[in-house]
Amino acid sequence: MTREQAVAFFLFSVAAAGTPGPSNVLLTAVGANVGVLRGLPCLLGVGLGMAAMMFVVAFGLGGALLDNPAVLTGVRWCGAAVLCWLGWKIATAGRGGAGADVRPVGLVAAATFQWVNPKSWLVSASAAATFLDAKAGNALGQSAALGLVFLLACLPSCFPWLAFGSALQRLLRSERAVRIFNGAMGALLAASVLFFLW
């Protein structure tokens, strides 16, 4: 990957990771319920999961899935079920806060979540189609470079969503406000199923 390609892909990654989507809804909800410090594993999981997906899709899994309609349909419906379940868990979560005994979505769960996140699939497929270059070297090296650059762009791009959620803690002083916020975040996440199924 040339320097120009790396810069172009980095800018693409910043835009892809920083714009609204299921992962950023998740990060906002985690930040609002447990704060920035306890939400950092979720942020790292989002970044690592997306980087791994970027690598695997660019290396060939994405093409194999897209060429097999039955497998793609199964993945799509499993993803929809997981998104709805996670939306329900967020919607029914209780008050968090610094001293609360609330288990936030952690590194492994956030990384795994990327595999059912419709935006992650779209971003990975678009990146592979746009940035892989037959003249730029082997597929393994290019795929690894895409994954690494995406990780470096994703963490600072997604962090503001976690911090925004944490800042909302000041507004979410009552149990009712927390329930309303969590319900809205859960509904937004579940609503993303509509984009995944179409």
Side-chain angles (χ1 to χ4, degrees), residues 84-101:
C84 287
W85 174 80
L86 191 55
W88 173 255
K89 294 294 284 179
I90 290 171
T92 58
R95 174 176 279 286
D101 188 24

Side-chain angles (χ1 to χ4, degrees), residues 72-85:
L72 186 60
T73 298
V75 168
R76 184 174 285 144
W77 283 103
C78 287
V82 170
L83 284 172
C84 287
W85 174 80

Side-chain angles (χ1 to χ4, degrees), residues 15 97 105 114 132 155 172:
V105 174
Q114 299 315 303
L132 285 179
L155 295 176
L172 304 175

Side-chain angles (χ1 to χ4, degrees), residues 178-192:
V178 170
R179 280 197 312 270
I180 290 170
F181 175 79
N182 286 343
M185 292 292 102
L188 282 173
L189 190 58
S192 69

Side-chain angles (χ1 to χ4, degrees), residues 40-101:
L40 288 177
C42 182
L43 174 66
L44 187 58
V46 166
L48 290 172
M50 189 61 201
M53 175 181 271
M54 186 70 66
F55 168 77
V56 170
V57 168
F59 196 58
L61 175 67
L65 279 177
L66 293 175
D67 290 341
N68 190 332
V71 172
L72 186 60
T73 298
V75 168
R76 184 174 285 144
W77 283 103
C78 287
V82 170
L83 284 172
C84 287
W85 174 80
L86 191 55
W88 173 255
K89 294 294 284 179
I90 290 171
T92 58
R95 174 176 279 286
D101 188 24

